Short mmCIF file of all heavy atoms in Angstrom, two decimals:
data_model
loop_
_atom_site.label_atom_id
_atom_site.label_comp_id
_atom_site.label_asym_id
_atom_site.label_seq_id
_atom_site.Cartn_x
_atom_site.Cartn_y
_atom_site.Cartn_z
N ASP A 363 15.22 2.19 -16.72
CA ASP A 363 16.04 3.27 -16.18
C ASP A 363 17.10 2.71 -15.23
O ASP A 363 17.24 1.49 -15.07
CB ASP A 363 15.17 4.34 -15.51
CG ASP A 363 14.43 3.84 -14.27
OD1 ASP A 363 14.80 2.77 -13.73
OD2 ASP A 363 13.49 4.51 -13.83
N ASN A 364 17.85 3.61 -14.58
CA ASN A 364 18.96 3.17 -13.73
C ASN A 364 18.50 2.51 -12.43
O ASN A 364 19.31 1.99 -11.67
CB ASN A 364 19.90 4.34 -13.42
CG ASN A 364 19.19 5.50 -12.72
OD1 ASN A 364 18.01 5.42 -12.39
ND2 ASN A 364 19.92 6.57 -12.51
N ARG A 365 17.20 2.52 -12.16
CA ARG A 365 16.64 1.82 -11.00
C ARG A 365 15.93 0.53 -11.40
O ARG A 365 15.27 -0.09 -10.59
CB ARG A 365 15.68 2.75 -10.25
CG ARG A 365 16.38 3.94 -9.60
CD ARG A 365 15.40 4.96 -9.05
NE ARG A 365 14.54 4.41 -8.03
CZ ARG A 365 13.56 5.09 -7.41
NH1 ARG A 365 13.34 6.36 -7.75
NH2 ARG A 365 12.82 4.53 -6.50
N GLY A 366 16.07 0.16 -12.67
CA GLY A 366 15.47 -1.08 -13.14
C GLY A 366 14.02 -0.98 -13.53
O GLY A 366 13.40 -1.99 -13.88
N ARG A 367 13.46 0.22 -13.49
CA ARG A 367 12.06 0.41 -13.86
C ARG A 367 11.93 0.54 -15.37
O ARG A 367 12.76 1.17 -16.02
CB ARG A 367 11.49 1.66 -13.18
CG ARG A 367 11.55 1.62 -11.68
CD ARG A 367 11.06 2.93 -11.06
NE ARG A 367 11.86 4.06 -11.51
CZ ARG A 367 11.72 5.30 -11.04
NH1 ARG A 367 10.80 5.56 -10.11
NH2 ARG A 367 12.48 6.30 -11.50
N VAL A 368 10.87 -0.03 -15.91
CA VAL A 368 10.62 0.07 -17.34
C VAL A 368 10.21 1.50 -17.66
O VAL A 368 9.32 2.08 -17.02
CB VAL A 368 9.52 -0.92 -17.78
CG1 VAL A 368 9.21 -0.74 -19.26
CG2 VAL A 368 9.94 -2.35 -17.48
N GLU A 369 10.86 2.08 -18.64
CA GLU A 369 10.56 3.47 -19.02
C GLU A 369 9.30 3.52 -19.89
O GLU A 369 9.16 2.73 -20.83
CB GLU A 369 11.74 4.08 -19.77
CG GLU A 369 12.98 4.26 -18.91
CD GLU A 369 14.11 4.94 -19.66
OE1 GLU A 369 14.01 5.10 -20.90
OE2 GLU A 369 15.10 5.32 -19.00
N VAL A 370 8.39 4.45 -19.55
CA VAL A 370 7.16 4.61 -20.32
C VAL A 370 6.89 6.09 -20.56
O VAL A 370 7.40 6.95 -19.85
CB VAL A 370 5.94 3.99 -19.59
CG1 VAL A 370 6.06 2.48 -19.51
CG2 VAL A 370 5.76 4.59 -18.20
N ASP A 371 6.05 6.36 -21.58
CA ASP A 371 5.64 7.74 -21.83
C ASP A 371 4.31 8.01 -21.14
O ASP A 371 3.85 7.22 -20.30
CB ASP A 371 5.55 8.00 -23.34
CG ASP A 371 4.50 7.14 -24.06
OD1 ASP A 371 3.64 6.53 -23.37
OD2 ASP A 371 4.54 7.07 -25.30
N ASP A 372 3.67 9.11 -21.48
CA ASP A 372 2.42 9.49 -20.82
C ASP A 372 1.27 8.55 -21.16
O ASP A 372 0.22 8.59 -20.51
CB ASP A 372 2.04 10.92 -21.20
CG ASP A 372 2.99 11.95 -20.58
OD1 ASP A 372 3.70 11.59 -19.63
OD2 ASP A 372 3.01 13.10 -21.07
N TYR A 373 1.44 7.72 -22.20
CA TYR A 373 0.42 6.73 -22.56
C TYR A 373 0.79 5.34 -22.06
O TYR A 373 0.16 4.35 -22.45
CB TYR A 373 0.23 6.72 -24.09
CG TYR A 373 -0.27 8.03 -24.63
CD1 TYR A 373 0.63 8.98 -25.14
CD2 TYR A 373 -1.63 8.35 -24.61
CE1 TYR A 373 0.19 10.21 -25.62
CE2 TYR A 373 -2.08 9.58 -25.10
CZ TYR A 373 -1.18 10.50 -25.60
OH TYR A 373 -1.62 11.71 -26.07
N LEU A 374 1.82 5.28 -21.19
CA LEU A 374 2.31 4.04 -20.60
C LEU A 374 2.90 3.09 -21.63
O LEU A 374 3.00 1.89 -21.41
CB LEU A 374 1.21 3.34 -19.77
CG LEU A 374 0.60 4.20 -18.65
CD1 LEU A 374 -0.46 3.41 -17.89
CD2 LEU A 374 1.68 4.69 -17.69
N ARG A 375 3.30 3.67 -22.79
CA ARG A 375 4.01 2.90 -23.80
C ARG A 375 5.50 2.94 -23.53
O ARG A 375 6.04 3.98 -23.12
CB ARG A 375 3.76 3.49 -25.20
CG ARG A 375 2.34 3.34 -25.71
CD ARG A 375 2.19 3.99 -27.05
NE ARG A 375 2.56 5.40 -27.01
CZ ARG A 375 2.11 6.33 -27.84
NH1 ARG A 375 1.27 6.00 -28.80
NH2 ARG A 375 2.48 7.59 -27.73
N THR A 376 6.16 1.81 -23.76
CA THR A 376 7.62 1.80 -23.69
C THR A 376 8.17 2.42 -24.97
O THR A 376 7.40 2.92 -25.82
CB THR A 376 8.14 0.36 -23.55
OG1 THR A 376 7.88 -0.35 -24.78
CG2 THR A 376 7.46 -0.37 -22.39
N ASN A 377 9.49 2.36 -25.15
CA ASN A 377 10.08 2.86 -26.39
C ASN A 377 9.74 1.98 -27.59
O ASN A 377 9.97 2.37 -28.74
CB ASN A 377 11.60 2.95 -26.24
CG ASN A 377 12.25 1.61 -25.90
OD1 ASN A 377 11.98 1.05 -24.84
ND2 ASN A 377 13.09 1.11 -26.78
N VAL A 378 9.16 0.80 -27.32
CA VAL A 378 8.64 -0.06 -28.40
C VAL A 378 7.12 0.15 -28.41
O VAL A 378 6.44 -0.24 -27.45
CB VAL A 378 8.99 -1.54 -28.15
CG1 VAL A 378 8.48 -2.41 -29.30
CG2 VAL A 378 10.50 -1.71 -27.98
N PRO A 379 6.55 0.77 -29.44
CA PRO A 379 5.18 1.30 -29.37
C PRO A 379 4.08 0.33 -28.98
O PRO A 379 3.09 0.73 -28.37
CB PRO A 379 4.96 1.84 -30.79
CG PRO A 379 6.32 2.16 -31.28
CD PRO A 379 7.22 1.13 -30.70
N HIS A 380 4.20 -0.97 -29.32
CA HIS A 380 3.13 -1.90 -28.99
C HIS A 380 3.34 -2.60 -27.64
O HIS A 380 2.55 -3.46 -27.26
CB HIS A 380 2.98 -2.95 -30.10
CG HIS A 380 4.15 -3.89 -30.16
ND1 HIS A 380 5.31 -3.59 -30.82
CD2 HIS A 380 4.34 -5.12 -29.62
CE1 HIS A 380 6.16 -4.59 -30.70
NE2 HIS A 380 5.61 -5.53 -29.98
N ILE A 381 4.41 -2.24 -26.92
CA ILE A 381 4.68 -2.82 -25.60
C ILE A 381 4.45 -1.76 -24.54
O ILE A 381 5.04 -0.67 -24.59
CB ILE A 381 6.12 -3.37 -25.52
CG1 ILE A 381 6.34 -4.45 -26.58
CG2 ILE A 381 6.39 -3.94 -24.13
CD1 ILE A 381 7.76 -5.00 -26.63
N TYR A 382 3.59 -2.07 -23.59
CA TYR A 382 3.22 -1.16 -22.52
C TYR A 382 3.72 -1.72 -21.17
O TYR A 382 4.09 -2.88 -21.06
CB TYR A 382 1.70 -1.00 -22.45
CG TYR A 382 1.05 -0.45 -23.69
CD1 TYR A 382 0.86 -1.25 -24.83
CD2 TYR A 382 0.63 0.86 -23.76
CE1 TYR A 382 0.25 -0.75 -25.98
CE2 TYR A 382 0.02 1.38 -24.90
CZ TYR A 382 -0.17 0.57 -26.00
OH TYR A 382 -0.77 1.07 -27.12
N ALA A 383 3.69 -0.89 -20.15
CA ALA A 383 4.05 -1.35 -18.81
C ALA A 383 3.24 -0.57 -17.78
O ALA A 383 2.81 0.57 -18.04
CB ALA A 383 5.54 -1.20 -18.54
N LEU A 384 3.03 -1.17 -16.62
CA LEU A 384 2.17 -0.56 -15.60
C LEU A 384 2.60 -0.97 -14.20
O LEU A 384 3.38 -1.90 -14.00
CB LEU A 384 0.71 -0.95 -15.83
CG LEU A 384 0.33 -2.44 -15.80
CD1 LEU A 384 0.16 -2.97 -14.38
CD2 LEU A 384 -0.97 -2.69 -16.57
N GLY A 385 2.05 -0.27 -13.21
CA GLY A 385 2.18 -0.67 -11.81
C GLY A 385 3.56 -0.44 -11.21
O GLY A 385 4.26 0.51 -11.56
N ASP A 386 3.96 -1.34 -10.33
CA ASP A 386 5.21 -1.19 -9.59
C ASP A 386 6.45 -1.23 -10.48
O ASP A 386 7.53 -0.80 -10.06
CB ASP A 386 5.34 -2.30 -8.53
CG ASP A 386 4.35 -2.15 -7.40
OD1 ASP A 386 3.49 -1.25 -7.47
OD2 ASP A 386 4.42 -2.95 -6.44
N VAL A 387 6.31 -1.76 -11.68
CA VAL A 387 7.47 -1.94 -12.55
C VAL A 387 7.83 -0.64 -13.29
O VAL A 387 8.86 -0.58 -13.96
CB VAL A 387 7.23 -3.11 -13.54
CG1 VAL A 387 6.41 -2.66 -14.75
CG2 VAL A 387 8.53 -3.77 -13.97
N ILE A 388 6.99 0.39 -13.15
CA ILE A 388 7.28 1.69 -13.77
C ILE A 388 7.37 2.76 -12.68
O ILE A 388 7.26 2.48 -11.49
CB ILE A 388 6.21 2.08 -14.82
CG1 ILE A 388 4.84 2.33 -14.16
CG2 ILE A 388 6.11 1.00 -15.90
CD1 ILE A 388 3.80 2.94 -15.10
N ARG A 389 7.55 4.00 -13.10
CA ARG A 389 7.67 5.12 -12.18
C ARG A 389 6.39 5.31 -11.37
O ARG A 389 5.32 4.82 -11.72
CB ARG A 389 7.96 6.41 -12.96
CG ARG A 389 6.81 6.77 -13.89
CD ARG A 389 7.04 8.07 -14.62
NE ARG A 389 5.87 8.40 -15.44
CZ ARG A 389 5.82 8.33 -16.75
NH1 ARG A 389 6.87 7.90 -17.43
NH2 ARG A 389 4.71 8.66 -17.41
#
Side-chain angles (χ1 to χ4, degrees):
D363 65 16
N364 58 5
R365 293 171 60 182
R367 300 176 301 186
V368 177
E369 293 183 349
V370 293
D371 62 15
D372 291 342
Y373 297 95
L374 303 181
R375 292 178 303 205
T376 68
N377 59 296
V378 182
H380 68 277
I381 300 177
Y382 300 77
L384 60 81
D386 291 5
V387 83
I388 67 170
R389 63 177 183 252

